[in-house]
Each structure stands twice: as structure tokens, then as C-alpha cells.
Amino acid sequence: MTPLKLVARQHLDQATVVTLNEELKVGDREIIVMAGPCAVESKEQLLAAAYAVKEGGARVLRGGAFKPRTSPYAFQGLMEEGLKLLAETRRETGLPVVTEVMDTRDLELVAEYADILQIGSRNMQNFALLKEAGRIGKPILLKRGLAATIEEWLLAAEYIMSQGNDQIILCERGIRTFETATRNTLDLSAVAVVKEVSHLPVIVDPSHATGRWQLVAAMAKGAIAAGADGLLIEVHPNPAEALCDGPQSLTPANFHKLMQDLQKIAQAIGREIAI
Ligand code: PEP
Ligand code: MN
């Protein structure tokens, strides 16, 4: 992969560890699970989700305040109000938060509240956003575009890194294929390819990759076995009532069970999940 410079292994022959604080590092021996609802819906919903995922062993709370929805009539997120709820929930639970930024105009605002800024699949080649993300002093979670090659994805990370920000976590979330049984097709080989060609940490989102909560556990386990540094999992206190992505959201009970199973897999490959 010749066009890769800064993100390539040749540039840095050791794994990049994205450091949130002394106890929270992505890309180190510990597997980091980020979990929470697709979208921030209310104070009660977010707090319930946060306590549930914290109890299960998640280290980061996810929740979208700005939602990229296929339909303009679907719930678009609570925006700044959602960011405030995320900050409030972090204060109450101690969990750092990852949330999506969709537009350069919102970047500073989102960065005020978030611990990790997520650049979603649909924005993976929003080059203006990538460049601005490279100038902000916060870790970036860069999702793979829904129809992006691994090289295009890594070049998107190159945009961020070329502006001075090396705190990048890649996230494989499934790609578009001819298959219709799942929402997307999880490309687990991407984890192995990224590990081979890049020094950046990579996590897997089995929720968007499958679109169905029944398939999330199997793909989460496969991701850890394949060498992913973490997971991004949608968990909702009441998936049937979720305003966004309910069918792929785990209940707190299913999430807790999954975390226990994941610990066994992590141990089998010489890593750990603190639960
Ligand atoms: C999300 O994580 O909420 C999301 C919208 O994911 P993606 O960008 O992978 O579709
Ligand atoms: Mn979602």
C-alpha cells in the first residue's frame, strides 16, 4: 500500500496507543469496549444505558447527538442538548464519551463535550472534516466508509494524521455487499489487514455490521479473536422503544452476558477485558 505514509507501519514500527487517561488506553493489551445507545434520547434513557454498560464493563459510553439518518424525516438527534446530556452522564458515571460529529461547523462544539470524536461511515471521505479533525486535540474514532476499500479508509486516517493528530482509532463497521441477510457485511479480514499495514488501533462495531442484535455476540467474539483492540456496541435500556437502531441494540442483560463471554476469548489470546 504505497500511498500510505504516516499511518503505515514503515513510518512507526510500534503500535500507536490512543491514550484517554492513564487507565484508559486503546491499542494496548486491554480490550476496550465502548457501548451505549445509538442516539441520545433523554436524560433517563442515557443514564440507564450508561449505568448498564458500566456495570457490564464498558469503559466508554457511546451515544449520538448528531445523527446521520437516511431519511430527513427520521429522528436527527438532540444536537447540543444531547451533548449536554452526555456531559452530565459522564459526570454522574465517570464514563468518558464518544459521539459523532458530522459537520466542520459543529466540530468545536462537539469537541467541547466529547472525549472521543466519531467520524461516521458516511463522512469518511469528508475531507474538510478530516482535516479539521486533524487539528483538534482530541482522539478521533474513524469509521470505515460503507463502500470504502481499506486503502481509502487508511488514507482518510492519513488526512487526519497529516494535520498533526495521531490519536486515531479505526473502526470496522461492515461494508455494502450483495448480501441482504445482514444490514452490512462485517469484513473481519480488515482487522488483520490494518494490523499488518498500520500501527493504528482498530476496533469493530458488530451492531451496524449486522443490523440484528441476535448476531452481535457472535461477531463481537469473532472480532476479539481476530485481533481487534476493542468494540463499539449499541445497548439500549429498552430496544423496542429506541428512536434509532432498536433492532440491533442489545438489552443490558444480553450485554452483560456478552462481556463475560468476551473475557474468556480475550484471555485465550493473551489479552484482557476488565469487567
Ligand atoms: C453510529 O455509530 O451511530 C453510526 C451512525 O454508525 P455508522 O457511521 O457506522 O453508520
Ligand atoms: Mn446506530
Side-chain angles (χ1 to χ4, degrees), residues 29-31 33 188 216-231 257-275:
R29 189 166 164 270
E30 189 187 347
I31 285 159
V33 176
L188 268 190
V216 167
M219 294 303 96
K221 292 179 211 167
I224 298 308
D229 296 299
L231 294 163
K257 162 89 171 67
L258 173 59
M259 290 296 281
Q260 271 154 19
D261 293 348
L262 289 176
Q263 197 179 34
K264 293 175 213 149
I265 297 186
Q267 281 164 357
I269 59 163
R271 298 186 78 168
E272 60 185 282
I273 303 182
I275 64 170

Side-chain angles (χ1 to χ4, degrees), residues 91-272:
R91 261 198 312 277
E92 289 206 29
T93 63
L95 284 177
V97 302
V98 56
T99 196
E100 180 161 356
V101 56
M102 296 201 297
D103 193 307
T104 49
R105 290 169 294 186
D106 303 323
L107 193 77
E108 281 191 15
L109 177 75
V110 179
E112 259 178 55
Y113 292 94
D115 299 285
I116 304 173
L117 296 165
Q118 176 172 329
I119 295 184
S121 209
R122 289 154 193 82
N123 268 314
M124 189 207 81
Q125 283 191 323
N126 180 337
F127 299 114
L129 185 59
L130 295 171
K131 284 191 210 165
E132 289 297 324
R135 296 184 195 122
I136 212 119
K138 288 264 163 109
I140 308 294
L141 179 71
L142 179 64
K143 292 192 131 192
R144 181 179 180 181
L146 42 169
T149 65
I150 297 170
E151 185 175 288
E152 288 164 341
W153 183 26
L154 289 170
L155 283 168
E158 189 82 31
Y159 263 91
I160 298 170
M161 211 169 152
S162 68
Q163 300 301 309
N165 188 353
D166 69 346
Q167 295 289 288
I168 304 167
I169 304 162
L170 297 162
C171 179
E172 161 63 38
R173 47 77 76 204
I175 50 175
R176 281 261 163 107
T177 69
F178 51 80
E179 184 55 68
T180 55
T182 47
R183 183 177 180 182
N184 291 289
T185 296
L186 179 58
D187 180 11
L188 268 190
S189 59
V191 173
V193 173
V194 166
K195 288 285 168 197
E196 182 180 52
V197 302
S198 179
H199 52 82
L200 293 175
V202 58
I203 71 170
V204 168
D205 171 350
S207 308
H208 292 89
T210 60
R212 292 176 51 210
W213 70 266
Q214 295 91 334
L215 308 176
V216 167
M219 294 303 96
K221 292 179 211 167
I224 298 308
D229 296 299
L231 294 163
L232 182 69
I233 301 179
E234 286 186 342
V235 177
H236 194 286
N238 185 0
E241 306 233 304
L243 295 182
C244 185
D245 286 347
Q248 68 193 32
S249 299
L250 297 184
T251 59
N254 284 333
F255 178 70
H256 293 174
K257 162 89 171 67
L258 173 59
M259 290 296 281
Q260 271 154 19
D261 293 348
L262 289 176
Q263 197 179 34
K264 293 175 213 149
I265 297 186
Q267 281 164 357
I269 59 163
R271 298 186 78 168
E272 60 185 282

Side-chain angles (χ1 to χ4, degrees), residues 20-38:
L20 278 116
N21 57 53
E22 263 322 293
E23 286 85 48
L24 185 45
K25 298 177 180 178
V26 184
D28 220 346
R29 189 166 164 270
E30 189 187 347
I31 285 159
I32 301 298
V33 176
M34 309 181 189
C38 180

